[in-house]
Amino acid sequence: MEGINTCATCHATLTDAKLRGPAKDYVTSAHRDERIGCVGCHKGDPRDPTVGAHARALGFIAHPAQSEVAGICGGCHADADFIRHVNARLPVGQYALYSLSLHGRLAAGGDERAPTCATCHGKHDVLPPASPKSPVNRANVHKLCGGCHSDAKRMSPYQIRTDQLSKWEKSVHGLAFKKGNPNAPTCNSCHGAHSATPPDASSVARACGRCHEEELALFEQSPHSKGFRRRGLAECVACHSNHDVAPASSLHVGVTPDAMCTKCHANDEKPMKVADTIAGLLRGARDRSAAARATLARARDAGLVVPGSSFALDQLSTAELKLRAVVHTLDPMRLEAPIASIDRAVAEAEKLVSDVETTRKTERRGYYVALTVAGLLFLSLLLKSLELDRRRRQGTP
Amino acid sequence: MMGTDGQGSSWLGARIGWDAIRATLSAQRVARRNFSHFLGGITLLLFLLEVGSGVLVLLYYRPDVAQAHASLERIVGEVPYGDLIRNVHAWSSDLLVLSLVAHMFTVVVRGSFRSPRELSWWSGQALLVLCIGLAFTGAILPWSQEAYLQARVGSELARYVPFVGNWLHHFLRGGDEVTSSTLQHAFGFHVAALPAAVTALIFLHLFFVQRRAATTPRDDDAPTMPVYPDFLVRQAAAWTATFVVVMTLAIFAQRSVGVAADPRLPSVVGARPPWYFLAFHHVVRVAPRDLLGMDGARFLVAAMCGVGLAVVALPLLDRRGSRLTAYLAWIFLLACALLSAYALT
């Protein structure tokens, strides 16, 4: 059967766009491979150039039912021996994962609305996920998931929220994604792709911890870790929320009414004293960092090039990241080391600016002297020319 | 260095024959005129400042897309007096184009281009073109985002030049696109080919000017003065003043190095060409889609090229150095100034 595909050649000439379209889409799809062909999904006999190719006896399927699609795709994609010959880089576990996912379970239960392979990947125009045109490309995944999950009508039978996409777009993750950060998470970064499942309270920290490894490790050393587990609270989400994760800097640790701690703790509780201490330390470090950044910005605005300023800023940012991570321990003593790192970076940045300003002042003094000498030379030449004029008028040579 | 009483010379004077030189210079007379008379000399000084500061910048500059901008940052930020030298280079470049244009303008207004000074005029025109080439290639070398855009837009506009547009576009880019080749070519032309050609042309221009000195048509009867000491003392005062202006600008008005070029970044909002291309750029930008059956931008660029050719051919078109040419020059200057001001708004 390999090498002969009369389906595509015949369908490409048909006048009915519905029958011609698939043949056109196929030739630019990821499945354009003689080992797959139309017969890979539709069966039939591709060597027969007549309608005999469509004989039901040959297993021909004109329109696979929704419930059949995953099985048809899985027929090849779960076949490790076939896949390693066609594209050795492809994984083979998608069908198994999909079958376990909520999407897969709903589809297997006969839910015609449940997404199956073609819902996300497309039908005849399946493209590799690396293609920017593919709906499952990293750049498009949020639109793909949001296409269904933001649709209130479509989601109403499942009684789930539909604000995930709008919240994510405004979140620190969504904003980083929009800026082009290649590490910013999109839907499948947390929920998985084929295994799409909402992380529950017990697994959410593991979803976050895949990227925020240090924060998770430090959090597990904190008194919150056991307490949250005991109360069945979703670890990270309790403070950071899930889709609308706010920037860490805007999460107020402290005792003020807008502080996150007040969600669970009354102001007269002992933990709030710790929160107040941590808030004070964070505020001090933040103010000193902001002052150092302002000093560097002022120097730049004044036209001063401060060698090493980028490195100093990087050091400052790294120290701030470290501090924000250590906050998860809720141990004020452990904040001292990262705060000391911030103070060192602040001192380094301020010293750099001060050195450049001192050099600039010294240079300026030299320039003033040079300009004065040049100015005096100009004046003397001017006087000389006036004297020459005067002598010419008087007739003196 | 020299004997002042004409009776003898200093050690050096005796060896260079100063008395003879002084006698020649004292015997030669030039018209006694206003400040405009020193513009040629000022332009020469600015070119020498460009060469001097350029050689120093060259010691640390690296003509490579990956390193060019970082090397410039190093020159400005770390090399002792690097910012001063680079500022001198950047400001002298602007002032050089300004003084060249002013020099040319006074020559047109005074009618000094007319016969027998055609060769002075044409060598001067060639110098203007080469110096603008120096400024254009020099603006690419920082390989900042602005420099990258300037290289792209400047070379793109060259396409509109009649007959040679495509060739010029390809030549300016060193290929079809703005790439590392563009930087490499700009560097080669900026530090070697163009300075060598300008130096040779300066000698030629001075030779032509010297051979036909003081034959300016409309002030033949103007009072004159000896070259030495009267003219040279004035010229030295003009040079000193120019030097003071350049140094003051270089010390107090820092020239930005911008951010490193990144072709993936969107265009800089409000990006503008250098001041001497503003009027030209603005005309192309506001050109109607269709003008007399031709592409508007192409038509206007062709018209501007026509004006440029007419300027070059001025000694042939206006053999008397008439006042009409002077008036047209004033109108042209005013139009350019207005277009530039409008482009800035």
Side-chain angles (χ1 to χ4, degrees), chain A residues 302-308 360 363-364 367-368 370-371 373-375 377-378 380-382 384-386 388-389 392, chain B residues 29 32 73 76-78 80-81 83-84 226 228-230 233-234 236-238 240-241 243-244 247-248 251-252 254:
Chain A
L304 284 175
V305 177
V306 183
R360 164 67 66 100
E363 282 177 357
R364 282 274 162 97
Y367 296 158
Y368 293 147
L371 278 181
V373 169
L377 179 63
F378 172 68
S380 64
L381 287 164
L382 213 57
K384 177 73 181 169
S385 101
L386 289 173
L388 285 169
D389 278 356
R392 300 262 174 243
Chain B
R29 298 187 76 82
R32 181 186 292 271
E73 281 185 320
V76 172
E78 293 175 35
Y81 302 100
D83 58 340
L84 181 75
Y228 179 83
D230 299 50
V233 167
R234 282 173 167 78
T240 316
F243 185 73
V244 169
M247 290 301 287
T248 307
I251 292 166
F252 296 105
Q254 186 78 26

Side-chain angles (χ1 to χ4, degrees), chain B residues 209-281:
Chain B
V209 170
Q210 187 63 25
R211 297 300 291 169
R212 290 292 166 196
T215 56
T216 48
R218 282 203 300 276
D219 50 5
D220 275 349
D221 52 349
T224 59
M225 60 180 167
V227 170
Y228 179 83
D230 299 50
F231 176 76
L232 282 182
V233 167
R234 282 173 167 78
Q235 185 67 72
W239 279 333
T240 316
T242 307
F243 185 73
V244 169
V245 169
V246 171
M247 290 301 287
T248 307
L249 284 169
I251 292 166
F252 296 105
Q254 186 78 26
R255 295 293 288 259
S256 163
V257 294
V259 292
D262 183 350
R264 293 167 302 174
L265 288 179
S267 292
V268 179
V269 177
R272 292 193 182 99
W275 63 269
Y276 40 87
F277 282 137
L278 268 177
F280 176 75
H281 182 250

